[in-house]
Amino acid sequence: MALSSPVLKRSETIANTMPDALRESRYHMKRCFMKYVEKGKRVMKVHQLMDEMEKVIEDKAERSQLLEGLLGYILCTTQEAAIVPPDVAFAVRPSPGCWEYVKVNSNDLSVDGISAAEYLKFKEMSVDENWAKDENALEIDFRATDHSLPHLTMPPSVGNGIKYVSKFLTSKINSPGTAQSLVDYLLSLNHQGEKFMINDSINTVSKLQAALVIAKAALSKLPRETPFQSFEMRFKEWGFEKGWGDNAERVEEMMHSLSEILQAPDPLNIETFFGKLPIIFKVVLFSVHGYFGQSDVLGLPDTGGQVVYILDQVVALEEELLLRIKQRGLNAKPQILIVTRLIPDAKGTKCNVELEPVAKTKHCHILRVPFNTDNGVLQQWVSRFDIYPYLERFAQDASKRIIEVMEGKPDLIVGNYTDGNLVASLMASKLDTTLGTIAHALEKTKYEDSDIKWKELDPKYHFSCQFSADLIAMNSADFIITSTYQEIAGSHDRPGQYESHTAFTMPGLYRVVNGINVFSPKFNIASPGADQTVYFPYTQKEERFSEFGPSVEELLFSDIQNTEHIGHLEDKTKPIIFSMARLDTVKNLAGLTEWYGKNKRLRGLVNLVIVGAFFDPSKSKDREEATEIKKMHSLIEKYNLKGQMRWIAAQTDRKRNGELYRYIADTRGAFVQPALYEAFGLTVIEAMNSGLPTFATSQGGPAEIIADGVSGFHIDPFNGDESSNKLADFFQKCKEDPEYWTRISIQGLQRIDECYTWKIYANKMLNMGCVYGFWRKLYDKEKEAKMRYIQMFYNLEFRRLVSNMAVKKEQRPQQEEPKEKPKQLLRKRTSKLTFWR
């Protein structure tokens, strides 16, 4: 709804302004609120509130006039209302990340501000009245220990955590305590026992400043290219160790930066200085669920874009680490481990191989650790929803193995998804290591009312465990990486994934009054890219993988029906609209199929190709996938799509997939990503990088990747008619003006080149690891208090929930370790680790 009404001033609250808004039409409001409460206790979404109002105020002009005022603004920023007659409690979100709660008495229209906890109790009354009234019901408040920590205040700043931290340090660094903390931090830097930066002869701020003056004077007399080794011994006498740079120019730049920080700091200088410090050499990334491998895994259950993301990520991280180490004048080699689950029943993949080098790298390996249980090793894949009983033991086993392989503890630990983030938080807590987490997708926002309906959904999804694990990980993290702003704080109309954890309730279990603060400086946006050796423009004919041409053509156009493809395309001259994803409810491939089936105009213009899953639902071990497979078959029959649709089973060869994108670009087709919600959308990046015009969901990250109508198009996954017509309009326009397709293709490529590369990502991520490594030391007391609270929640609540879950029984005794192991990685080191008990 477009509103011309004034918005609230920052100093105003909903509780203060709502009485005036209700008085604008007291008669209608009285009737409206009586309508809200007439059905008793319930929770209403904003569209339901509007529908009820429409029934009360039948005159359209009168209703429009009312909604153009302040009341319309308040109602349109309301996310939901909890009805407990005679009161109506509103959860109002005036701007991203900002929430207010008010209750209105339907009898006299009196308005009172209420707390988040009070609002949640109203909400609970419709589900579990006894629990809502229980004064001893468990309330969770993760901000209880955060009062002294600085945080952002304005919604547009959300996700710029490292910039905020750098600005805050700028204002704080000149205080004696903070400046000395910096000196102490520099004194602590070492790698495998070798000291870096400064030694104990420079142990105060004044000594450091004096030594910097002497060193800079000496450097000014040296040629810029002079190797550090030429003046290393002289600098060592003054208290300086390796790590400043590989030549006089870089050493002088680094020393100048530190001098500026100690005298007149600025945010950019602080981030640059910390980013260059020799802090990170050993990196561990956890990705536990699914089949994690470099080939033959994509499309298997719980295995999709996250695997691609991490494999591309480590290639870029290694390149950046090698560059930084070289420029610091050091001989050290980086180590990167991707730690995942070893699956003995590997389905023809390498997921049963313990240690595997990562292609295109020299210092990265996949380390696989099995799920050990009291009855032996778990042999089979287990759903991401059923994984929680194995994670604590896995964290213990993986931690010991990591320390053996790395010959010491890592400098940075990064988790991925709920399970990987939880394991990473367990390990980082015990090793006192800087922790970053990446959610990829928080399940809470995928399933409407999954918190209030948790008892109904728990047997299938175990959301009680998942939401608890997410809370533990996001609050344990020193920094959180997201791909988009929407992932954190959503849009004007929709709360973000993390924002949905601010305040929520699971009646009968616990009530979260402060789950996460999206204004925390731990949040940072770092968007990934695509592997440009695989996904490159269709116009680069000489680089294309011509060996895949015949197999791609067979994949798309063969009339043979088999386990890899069904359906056929009668008119092979038509452009193709194409989508590739896991076959689950949220990815909405069945929705796209239905849009296409219903739109005769679109069917006349293009063919449809879907790539996902396989065709026999009885062979799927994923409950949701099996349901979607059945749905796809019924839609094909319902709309008689034979001759116009090709359904291809999940494809695991990335190079052939890259050529598939380009082949469809050759047909002047388009890529469609119709997800109900998508945190980021790697396939969107891949398609655009291939020069394929892209239509992607308006719900989530793709809305930030694509400039609508310029570098691609947004589509509403909840309005299939509108979305299918938008596709049809595009292809009709391309038919009339062939250059239109080319313009959108080129503008999509430009967008990717400007914003979405792995080099930019790797630089941001390593800077975070360096800056937050110091930040966590600066606020170590607050960090310790927070971790005590988290440990209590883990031990008293999470472990209890996990103990109630069933454990798979298909187990056999521990298998022998694979014989082939890189010898240099296997020197044993004893380590005793005790987790949160």
Side-chain angles (χ1 to χ4, degrees):
M1 179 189 305
L3 294 176
S4 58
S5 61
V7 298
L8 299 181
K9 297 177 182 177
R10 287 193 67 196
S11 59
E12 295 176 323
T13 66
I14 298 295
N16 290 336
T17 56
M18 199 164 187
D20 291 336
L22 294 174
R23 279 194 290 269
E24 289 176 3
S25 181
R26 187 173 178 82
Y27 169 73
H28 285 310
M29 287 300 96
K30 183 83 170 177
R31 292 178 59 219
C32 189
F33 275 84
M34 292 305 293
K35 184 75 172 174
Y36 290 158
V37 301
E38 72 176 7
K39 293 182 181 178
K41 299 168 190 168
R42 55 178 172 152
V43 176
M44 299 177 68
K45 303 299 182 185
V46 64
H47 67 88
Q48 294 171 313
L49 294 170
M50 292 298 190
D51 289 345
E52 298 279 272
M53 177 180 285
E54 190 171 324
K55 293 174 184 176
V56 171
I57 310 174
E58 295 178 354
D59 186 278
K60 188 174 180 179
E62 194 172 356
R63 188 171 65 247
S64 297
Q65 184 179 0
L66 185 68
L67 291 176
E68 286 172 0
L70 189 56
L71 180 64
Y73 169 77
I74 293 172
L75 288 175
C76 286
T77 55
T78 293
Q79 294 299 309
E80 62 180 15
I83 317 296
V84 181
D87 293 319
V88 180
F90 292 87
V92 187
R93 183 175 173 269
S95 57
C98 301
W99 291 79
E100 291 185 50
Y101 304 95
V102 296
K103 68 173 181 179
V104 179
N105 185 290
S106 60
N107 293 325
D108 59 11
L109 298 187
S110 59
V111 180
D112 294 296
I114 57 176
S115 67
E118 290 171 315
Y119 173 77
L120 293 174
K121 290 177 184 178
F122 269 92
K123 193 173 178 179
E124 292 156 5
M125 289 288 286
S126 64
V127 178
D128 190 337
E129 184 172 344
N130 290 333
W131 196 81
K133 292 179 176 179
D134 185 353
E135 293 183 0
N136 296 312
L138 177 61
E139 285 193 357
I140 306 298
D141 185 356
F142 283 102
R143 291 186 68 182
T145 60
D146 287 352
H147 297 300
S148 61
L149 290 175
H151 57 83
L152 298 88
T153 57
M154 300 295 290
S157 301
V158 167
N160 290 310
I162 196 168
K163 291 183 179 178
Y164 175 84
V165 167
S166 299
K167 286 181 181 178
F168 188 81
L169 289 174
T170 298
S171 64
K172 194 175 174 65
I173 203 78
N174 282 327
S175 63
T178 305
Q180 184 59 44
S181 295
L182 175 57
V183 174
D184 295 340
Y185 186 67
L186 294 175
L187 281 166
S188 72
L189 298 183
N190 74 89
H191 178 60
Q192 296 180 337
E194 183 179 15
K195 287 190 71 66
F196 293 146
M197 303 306 289
I198 60 176
N199 57 43
D200 292 337
S201 65
I202 307 177
N203 57 8
T204 67
V205 176
S206 58
K207 288 180 181 179
L208 177 57
Q209 288 177 316
L212 286 169
V213 171
I214 295 169
K216 287 169 68 179
L219 287 166
S220 66
K221 299 174 183 178
L222 296 174
R224 297 166 64 183
E225 297 80 13
T226 306
F228 177 77
Q229 291 83 351
S230 300
F231 51 89
E232 180 179 356
M233 296 311 298
R234 190 168 23 143
F235 271 52
K236 194 177 185 71
E237 293 172 3
W238 296 334
F240 297 107
E241 301 289 343
K242 293 179 180 178
W244 293 91
D246 60 344
N247 59 35
E249 181 181 18
R250 288 199 175 95
V251 173
E252 196 280 329
E253 286 175 354
M254 195 71 167
M255 289 188 165
H256 179 74
S257 289
L258 181 55
S259 296
E260 289 291 305
I261 287 171
L262 294 172
Q263 296 178 59
D266 73 81
L268 183 59
N269 194 20
I270 284 177
E271 183 179 344
T272 302
F273 176 78
F274 277 99
K276 290 180 179 178
L277 286 177
I279 296 171
I280 299 173
F281 299 89
K282 300 177 180 181
V283 181
V284 169
L285 301 102
F286 281 100
S287 179
V288 183
H289 71 271
Y291 293 82
F292 195 102
Q294 300 181 77
S295 61
D296 304 321
V297 298
L298 296 181
L300 292 174
D302 288 341
T303 309
Q306 181 174 315
V307 172
V308 177
Y309 178 110
I310 294 169
L311 289 172
D312 289 346
Q313 176 192 46
V314 297
V315 173
L317 284 175
E318 183 185 273
E319 288 180 3
E320 184 65 23
L321 278 172
L322 286 169
L323 177 63
R324 291 183 180 209
I325 291 169
K326 178 181 179 296
Q327 291 182 345
R328 292 306 102 213
L330 304 174
N331 293 320
K333 299 297 182 186
Q335 281 181 280
I336 301 175
L337 286 180
I338 304 168
V339 184
T340 188
R341 182 197 162 199
L342 186 145
I343 308 175
D345 184 5
K347 303 299 182 188
T349 71
K350 290 187 177 181
C351 293
N352 57 355
V353 176
E354 186 199 24
L355 204 59
E356 179 186 356
V358 175
K360 303 178 188 176
T361 73
K362 295 181 179 180
H363 310 285
C364 301
H365 290 79
I366 300 170
L367 173 65
R368 298 186 179 92
V369 178
F371 279 176
N372 285 305
T373 75
D374 293 340
N375 298 320
V377 173
L378 183 66
Q379 302 292 308
Q380 288 82 18
W381 163 84
V382 61
S383 166
R384 70 187 189 276
F385 296 119
D386 302 326
I387 206 169
Y388 301 101
Y390 310 98
L391 294 182
E392 183 173 296
R393 175 79 174 269
F394 176 82
Q396 294 169 342
D397 295 341
S399 297
K400 292 174 184 176
R401 195 74 187 95
I402 288 164
I403 288 174
E404 289 170 359
V405 170
M406 285 190 155
E407 299 186 325
K409 72 176 190 177
D411 305 305
L412 175 63
I413 299 173
V414 179
N416 291 272
Y417 190 69
T418 301
D419 43 36
N421 287 335
L422 180 69
V423 172
S425 67
L426 290 170
M427 183 177 177
S429 174
K430 279 297 148 190
L431 298 183
D432 190 29
T433 302
T434 304
L435 171 66
T437 61
I438 306 171
H440 294 280
L442 292 164
E443 300 287 346
K444 185 173 177 295
T445 52
K446 290 184 178 181
Y447 301 85
E448 190 173 23
D449 297 327
S450 54
D451 49 1
I452 199 83
K453 296 178 180 176
W454 74 274
K455 286 184 180 179
E456 176 186 327
L457 298 168
D458 224 44
K460 183 177 181 180
Y461 296 112
H462 303 295
F463 285 150
S464 60
C465 290
Q466 181 145 23
F467 299 169
S468 299
D470 284 327
L471 287 171
I472 289 166
M474 65 180 70
N475 280 284
S476 299
D478 296 302
F479 63 90
I480 295 172
I481 295 177
T482 71
S483 299
T484 63
Y485 178 95
Q486 288 200 33
E487 196 176 337
I488 310 169
S491 61
H492 179 74
D493 300 317
R494 179 187 178 121
Q497 287 192 62
Y498 281 96
E499 188 183 356
S500 73
H501 292 75
T502 302
F504 66 95
T505 183
M506 292 193 283
L509 187 61
Y510 56 70
R511 179 185 304 128
V512 180
V513 296
N514 278 302
I516 190 67
N517 178 14
V518 297
F519 292 96
S520 167
K522 69 172 61 181
F523 283 103
N524 290 274
I525 299 167
S527 301
D531 184 345
Q532 295 186 328
T533 65
V534 175
Y535 305 101
F536 52 84
Y538 72 101
T539 53
Q540 295 179 9
K541 302 292 185 182
E542 292 183 2
E543 286 78 27
R544 289 181 62 165
F545 308 135
S546 56
E547 67 272 22
F548 291 114
S551 66
V552 169
E553 188 159 339
E554 190 273 339
L555 204 61
L556 290 170
F557 298 120
S558 168
D559 290 332
I560 297 171
Q561 312 288 296
N562 56 29
T563 56
E564 192 174 21
H565 42 71
I566 60 174
H568 70 282
L569 305 178
E570 287 181 358
D571 186 349
K572 298 176 175 57
T573 64
K574 288 198 297 189
I576 293 171
I577 59 170
F578 157 61
S579 192
M580 179 164 57
R582 292 193 316 273
L583 202 57
D584 60 30
T585 305
V586 175
K587 294 300 183 183
N588 199 32
L589 294 185
L592 172 61
T593 304
E594 185 155 30
W595 302 350
Y596 178 79
K598 291 169 67 176
N599 194 315
K600 292 181 179 179
R601 185 163 66 104
L602 182 61
R603 290 173 67 171
L605 289 164
V606 296
N607 290 318
L608 173 65
V609 171
I610 296 290
V611 179
F614 41 86
F615 317 125
D616 185 351
S618 66
K619 292 182 179 179
S620 177
K621 292 184 178 180
D622 187 298
R623 296 172 292 244
E624 193 172 311
E625 182 183 63
T627 301
E628 290 298 300
I629 291 171
K630 292 176 184 175
K631 189 175 181 181
M632 286 288 288
H633 284 294
S634 68
L635 289 169
I636 291 169
E637 291 300 319
K638 178 179 178 180
Y639 294 105
N640 191 23
L641 297 179
K642 293 175 182 177
Q644 293 183 298
M645 176 183 169
R646 181 76 147 183
W647 183 2
I648 301 171
Q651 299 297 301
T652 58
D653 189 316
R654 294 181 70 198
K655 283 192 172 182
R656 190 165 79 159
N657 285 346
E659 200 56 36
L660 180 60
Y661 282 114
R662 288 185 287 274
Y663 198 101
I664 290 171
D666 291 336
T667 76
R668 312 291 276 185
F671 181 77
V672 184
Q673 208 276 29
L676 302 180
Y677 183 83
E678 184 65 53
F680 180 63
L682 272 177
T683 53
V684 172
I685 298 292
E686 291 167 359
M688 293 172 70
N689 226 28
S690 304
L692 199 53
T694 300
F695 292 73
T697 179
S698 59
Q699 303 299 313
E704 293 179 39
I705 298 171
I706 292 172
D708 188 30
V710 179
S711 53
F713 302 91
H714 298 165
I715 52 175
D716 183 353
F718 299 103
N719 191 334
D721 291 343
E722 177 187 271
S723 297
S724 63
N725 281 322
K726 196 167 189 177
L727 281 158
D729 291 343
F730 170 75
F731 283 103
Q732 184 61 46
K733 188 168 184 178
C734 292
K735 199 171 183 179
E736 297 165 359
D737 176 12
E739 288 303 310
Y740 182 60
W741 188 97
T742 304
R743 285 199 301 274
I744 297 298
S745 171
I746 291 171
Q747 286 161 188
L749 286 165
Q750 290 171 344
R751 175 72 173 165
I752 296 299
D753 290 341
E754 290 167 3
C755 304
Y756 300 96
T757 71
W758 279 113
K759 182 173 179 57
I760 295 171
Y761 176 99
N763 182 62
K764 285 183 177 181
M765 181 176 175
L766 291 176
N767 281 355
M768 290 175 212
C770 294
V771 171
Y772 286 96
F774 177 63
W775 181 255
R776 68 194 296 272
K777 298 294 184 185
L778 200 60
Y779 286 97
D780 56 343
K781 300 299 182 187
E782 292 82 355
K783 175 79 174 179
E784 182 180 357
K786 184 68 165 281
M787 292 310 296
R788 288 290 185 190
Y789 189 95
I790 293 170
Q791 288 165 9
M792 180 177 65
F793 179 66
Y794 176 88
N795 281 307
L796 298 180
E797 193 64 24
F798 179 75
R799 296 184 81 235
R800 179 184 65 80
L801 293 168
V802 168
S803 69
N804 294 328
M805 287 182 63
V807 177
K808 270 198 170 185
K809 295 181 180 179
E810 301 97 329
Q811 296 152 358
R812 295 197 299 271
Q814 173 88 39
Q815 293 184 337
E816 291 184 7
E817 294 182 356
K819 294 179 181 179
E820 293 186 12
K821 301 173 185 175
K823 294 179 181 178
Q824 72 274 19
L825 293 176
L826 294 173
R827 297 172 190 164
K828 299 287 183 180
R829 179 171 293 207
T830 303
S831 173
K832 293 183 179 180
L833 293 172
T834 307
F835 282 83
W836 295 341
R837 296 290 183 93

